Amino acid sequence: MKKLLYVLLGLVLLVVIAIGVLVAVINPNDFKPLIADEVKKATGRELVIDGDISWHFWPSLGLSVEKLAFKNPKRFAEPDMLKLDKAEMSVAVMPLLSDQLDIGMVSLYGAHVFIQTLPNGTSNLDGLSGETVPAEESKSGETSPATAETASADTKPAAAWIITIGGLDVVDASATVRDDKAHTKSEISSLNLNIGKLETGVWVPIDFDVTGKQNALAFNAKGSAEAMIEKDIMKSQLRKLALSASASDAQMKLENVSLNVDQLGLGVPMALSFEAKGNANDMTFDAKGKTSLNVNEAISLITATNFELNSQISGEGLPRPEMMIGFNGDVEFDNNAQKASLTNMKASVDELTVDGEANVVLADIPAVRFDVHSSKINVDAFLGNPNSSTQGDKPAGNSESAGEPATPSTPPAKKQPLSDVEPDLSALKALDIAGVITIDDFIASNVQVTDVMANFAVNRGKVAINQFDANLYGGTIAAKGSLDASVSPARYQVTKGMKNVNVQLLLVAAAGQDMLSGKGNIDVNVSGVGLSEKRLRSGITGTVGINFVDGAINGINIPEMIREAKATLKGKRAEYVDEARKTDFSGMSATFNLGKGIASTRNLKVEAPALRVHSEGQTNLLNETLDFDVFVSVVGTSKGQGGKDIDELKDLTIPVKINGTWQAPGYKLDVKALLSSNKVLETKARKEAERGLKKLLGDKADDDKVKQVTDKLLKGLFN
């Protein structure tokens, strides 16, 4: 036994001495031409080794190469595709006797890689496959027995060898990837990478730092992790991943982005957290988030449960100087169906909150579907609208007994001309969105609606409001509509019905006007072309029908005008009565026809105590002027507004002219029309006028010339 051991030790010593003699005697630099020639044959490229090739012996067989360059064809921007300042590696000698290839640390110093794609699509990577037809291969594609035997001899030992690598150390490497066809350029100016001993089944440390540039975006990053490499590479894992980075260009600066993952692998839950801080487009942001991520082994399903994001943003272009954005929910991505789903969602922007679910199917235009809810959205308060209500979110003038219109604290601003600039709706052409929104309490432009339910869709520039229901100031509103933004100017159509709405509260909230009160029904059926301010008013066509009950017209007291008319007929002044400037009515109805910038009616009717009102006229939607003739008939009852003074004028019609503007309407009694439309009054007034003239002129009143002048005056008064 001892003899056998001595023999084996002798053989090992002989091998070691032989390798030592080989290393000492043979100069590897003598093989430079041979190596370059073989590379040329395999790739068609030049390999230049300007530095020395050296090796050393014991305890490992080491090899180092200096100043190596793998050349590019002449038409490319840089002469070298790959160059190295120095490369080193070693192989342990003793394990070779046990079929173990134990490679030590592989070190690369000053490596630079240059990859370029020319405008015609040609790359310096083309032609490097090195695939050739072996000489032994017959034309029929069969391998000769000798070749098969050689292959078997070569492959059989390789399968039995155990290969380990002591690690990889990349020092001060760089790279350039340039695509002249796509006009992009990526650069790594510095890369340092250290990987521990590469063995299967053990955790291997990894550290790196990199600095570079992607087109105009400069970046740097560093990180560390531990890797578990398995024979089945898809089962490999990372743990303790920590990554930090920064980046900047002319529009954006990321001061810091960090990512931490406890473990990373297929089929295992991964606790992930991240932070990002910086500014972009004059807006600063500071965001933090976390989630539990899981990717199944088939990489067909990715889930992120309890995804949480909190961000603080600030900037002059925002609705508020500083805003808080929050998000929480579960995210799932089905890779086979290319569908992302969001469930258990809770999102917030300051005090505005939304919950619900949504999903997106990826396509040329992503298809977005959603069902979301919000308890309260106050757009006025969110945007800081100074005209919004501050008392319990109720609009000003909420009292149903309000009578006199509110006096503005400041004079109205000068009216600006209507804009004829169409809004840019091109973004709608790239949308495919459909869903339902429900809002418990919604306030916008000082108008409050509750129990809102909106079902709408946007598909490639066409918007459809399939359903809009809400409660509005004691009543309800239901609407449908469509908008076609695929053509220019856009076309729209709207049908809307409001039932039992408190009109006074609505008008005060929406327009700051207290000119009408009562319970009202409004039916709208309109369409038009164009969405600019000017075209909305000039291009709208259709009808608006109103039917109000138990209300009042504020700002005008028709019984008072009747008393004034009575006094005028008697040549007296009406006595002052301390009454609110309003006219009560039991019913009001009208149909307005819209077209060519005009809203006109021929059937506005008001039924009031002791009164019946009929009106015809129009309002110009462009210059906001009024031109209405109102005819008031006194009916035979003394009950209600006006009392016995009106009874004396029953069965008569009193005309009133309404003109002026929407902001400052004017009302006046049309005396000429009053007299000409009531013959009894006209005859009586003529006699009273003639008697007054005779009293004034005395004997001259019988003169023919004076009579002619008197007749002309009376004719001008009553005709």
Side-chain angles (χ1 to χ4, degrees):
M1 187 68 180
K2 289 183 178 180
K3 291 182 179 180
L4 179 60
L5 180 60
Y6 291 148
V7 171
L8 290 176
L9 289 175
L11 290 174
V12 169
L13 181 60
L14 182 62
V15 171
V16 170
I17 293 172
I19 294 175
V21 172
L22 182 67
V23 170
V25 174
I26 298 176
N27 184 358
N29 290 286
D30 295 338
F31 293 96
K32 286 183 181 180
L34 178 61
I35 296 172
D37 187 53
E38 291 299 320
V39 171
K40 178 76 171 180
K41 290 179 181 179
T43 66
R45 308 281 179 88
E46 298 287 343
L47 178 67
V48 177
I49 305 175
D50 289 332
D52 291 334
I53 302 176
S54 60
W55 57 21
H56 57 83
F57 177 69
W58 201 261
S60 61
L61 181 64
L63 178 69
S64 66
V65 181
E66 296 181 354
K67 302 299 180 182
L68 181 146
F70 184 62
K71 296 295 183 178
N72 272 322
K74 291 182 179 181
R75 60 186 180 276
F76 291 91
E78 291 188 11
D80 304 324
M81 178 178 174
L82 169 66
K83 62 182 181 180
L84 284 169
D85 289 343
K86 187 177 180 180
E88 294 179 342
M89 66 172 285
S90 62
V91 177
V93 176
M94 295 304 295
L96 293 174
L97 302 176
S98 304
D99 292 342
Q100 295 184 28
L101 181 59
D102 188 358
I103 301 173
M105 178 69 72
V106 177
S107 301
L108 304 175
Y109 300 92
H112 178 72
V113 177
F114 176 77
I115 299 173
Q116 182 181 8
T117 301
L118 299 176
N120 61 4
T122 303
S123 169
N124 60 344
L125 294 173
D126 295 342
L128 293 180
S129 61
E131 294 181 359
T132 58
V133 179
E136 297 86 351
E137 189 174 338
S138 65
K139 293 183 180 180
S140 62
E142 297 179 355
T143 305
S144 65
T147 305
E149 186 176 333
T150 302
S152 176
D154 290 341
T155 58
K156 186 175 180 179
W161 279 71
I162 298 174
I163 302 173
T164 61
I165 301 176
L168 175 65
D169 191 17
V170 178
V171 180
D172 198 23
S174 60
T176 300
V177 179
R178 172 175 159 181
D179 191 334
D180 296 342
K181 187 176 182 179
H183 304 289
T184 61
K185 186 177 182 180
S186 301
E187 297 178 274
I188 293 177
S189 57
S190 176
L191 169 65
N192 295 288
L193 172 65
N194 184 273
I195 302 177
K197 188 173 183 179
L198 298 177
E199 291 185 83
T200 58
V202 297
W203 289 104
V204 179
I206 301 173
D207 293 281
F208 74 92
D209 64 79
V210 59
T211 301
K213 195 173 185 180
Q214 171 67 39
N215 294 328
L217 180 68
F219 64 88
N220 63 73
K222 63 180 181 179
S224 62
E226 293 182 359
M228 171 78 76
I229 302 174
E230 301 289 354
K231 292 181 179 180
D232 183 354
I233 196 65
M234 297 304 292
K235 294 183 178 180
S236 300
Q237 297 182 37
L238 288 177
R239 72 178 184 183
K240 300 179 181 179
L241 174 63
L243 172 67
S244 62
S246 61
S248 64
D249 61 14
Q251 288 77 37
M252 180 269 295
K253 181 179 181 181
L254 285 173
E255 297 178 13
N256 179 59
V257 177
S258 64
L259 174 67
N260 292 275
V261 185
D262 65 339
Q263 58 182 353
L264 187 64
L266 299 180
V268 296
M270 297 168 273
L272 178 152
S273 63
F274 60 90
E275 295 184 13
K277 184 177 182 180
N279 62 79
N281 299 319
D282 298 324
M283 180 181 71
T284 62
F285 58 88
D286 187 354
K288 297 180 180 180
K290 62 181 180 179
T291 187
S292 177
L293 187 67
N294 197 316
V295 182
N296 68 354
E297 294 185 359
I299 319 181
S300 59
L301 187 65
I302 303 171
T303 59
T305 56
N306 294 322
F307 184 91
E308 181 180 319
L309 172 66
N310 293 289
S311 178
Q312 179 177 344
I313 60 175
S314 60
E316 294 182 357
L318 298 173
R320 294 176 172 178
E322 292 185 358
M323 300 174 64
M324 293 295 298
I325 297 175
F327 177 86
N328 189 281
D330 299 330
V331 183
E332 180 181 281
F333 181 72
D334 187 331
N335 198 24
N336 295 329
Q338 289 291 286
K339 180 180 180 180
S341 301
L342 177 61
T343 56
N344 301 319
M345 179 191 70
K346 292 182 179 180
S348 64
V349 180
D350 287 341
E351 72 273 16
L352 303 185
T353 61
V354 175
D355 57 74
E357 58 186 29
N359 64 75
V360 181
V361 177
L362 301 181
D364 57 335
I365 296 180
V368 181
R369 302 295 180 264
F370 62 88
D371 187 348
V372 297
H373 161 266
S374 178
S375 59
K376 183 175 183 179
I377 296 179
N378 188 331
V379 178
D380 294 337
F382 183 78
L383 298 179
N385 184 352
N387 296 322
S388 62
S389 174
T390 58
Q391 297 181 355
D393 294 323
K394 296 294 183 183
N398 226 12
S399 172
E400 295 197 33
S401 62
E404 296 293 332
T407 302
S409 58
T410 58
K414 183 179 179 181
K415 187 176 182 300
Q416 299 296 321
L418 298 175
S419 171
D420 59 358
V421 177
E422 290 291 320
D424 183 6
L425 303 177
S426 58
L428 295 177
K429 297 179 182 180
L431 296 179
D432 180 4
I433 301 175
V436 175
I437 298 176
T438 55
I439 306 172
D440 298 340
D441 192 0
F442 181 79
I443 300 173
S445 298
N446 217 29
V447 175
Q448 182 179 20
V449 292
T450 59
D451 299 326
V452 179
M453 198 285 285
N455 182 332
F456 72 93
V458 182
N459 192 348
R460 293 165 173 78
K462 295 185 177 181
V463 181
I465 301 175
N466 302 312
Q467 183 180 3
F468 180 89
D469 295 330
N471 294 329
L472 177 67
Y473 295 110
T476 61
I477 179 173
K480 293 182 178 181
S482 64
L483 171 67
D484 187 355
S486 64
V487 296
S488 183
R491 301 174 181 272
Y492 62 90
Q493 187 273 331
V494 177
T495 59
K496 179 169 63 176
M498 293 192 294
K499 307 297 181 184
N500 299 317
V501 174
N502 189 314
V503 179
Q504 182 187 33
L505 298 184
L506 176 60
L507 289 177
V508 170
Q513 297 289 334
D514 190 20
M515 59 188 302
L516 192 64
S517 65
K519 294 288 185 179
N521 299 336
I522 302 176
D523 294 301
V524 178
N525 189 346
V526 297
S527 60
V529 178
L531 297 177
S532 68
E533 287 183 290
K534 190 172 183 180
R535 280 186 170 171
L536 274 174
R537 299 191 186 191
S538 64
I540 189 170
T541 61
T543 60
V544 177
I546 63 172
N547 188 358
F548 301 154
V549 297
D550 300 330
I553 303 173
N554 297 318
I556 178 173
N557 190 326
I558 294 180
E560 182 182 11
M561 286 188 170
I562 293 174
R563 286 190 290 270
E564 182 181 344
K566 173 185 174 183
T568 300
L569 293 175
K570 293 182 176 181
K572 300 179 181 179
R573 295 186 61 181
E575 294 182 3
Y576 173 75
V577 179
D578 186 12
E579 291 183 348
R581 292 183 59 82
K582 68 174 185 176
T583 300
D584 297 326
F585 62 80
S586 58
M588 173 187 289
S589 63
T591 300
F592 288 90
N593 297 297
L594 306 177
K596 298 181 179 180
I598 300 294
S600 62
T601 181
R602 299 179 61 85
N603 64 351
L604 192 154
K605 298 178 181 178
V606 179
E607 296 180 357
L611 302 172
R612 297 295 182 267
V613 180
H614 172 76
S615 177
E616 298 178 359
Q618 65 183 32
T619 178
N620 190 306
L621 302 178
L622 296 173
N623 57 28
E624 302 179 358
T625 57
L626 301 167
D627 184 12
F628 286 91
D629 293 320
V630 181
F631 303 96
V632 182
S633 299
V634 183
V635 296
T637 176
S638 60
K639 296 180 180 180
Q641 189 170 358
K644 294 183 178 180
D645 285 344
I646 297 181
D647 287 347
E648 298 177 12
L649 295 176
K650 65 181 180 179
D651 299 325
L652 297 180
T653 299
I654 298 154
V656 178
K657 294 286 291 185
I658 299 179
N659 48 30
T661 65
W662 296 358
Q663 293 76 23
Y667 314 92
K668 67 177 181 178
L669 179 67
D670 190 343
V671 177
K672 184 184 292 187
L674 169 67
L675 298 177
S676 61
S677 62
N678 297 277
K679 296 302 181 182
V680 174
L681 292 177
E682 181 180 350
T683 301
K684 183 177 180 181
R686 280 179 176 274
K687 290 181 178 180
E688 291 294 333
E690 289 174 355
R691 185 180 298 112
L693 286 173
K694 286 184 177 181
K695 187 180 294 185
L696 177 64
L697 298 175
D699 296 338
K700 294 181 179 180
D702 295 328
D703 186 90
D704 292 337
K705 291 183 178 181
V706 175
K707 284 184 177 182
Q708 291 177 4
V709 174
T710 303
D711 290 339
K712 288 182 179 181
L713 289 173
L714 293 173
K715 187 177 292 185
L717 178 62
F718 299 113
N719 295 303

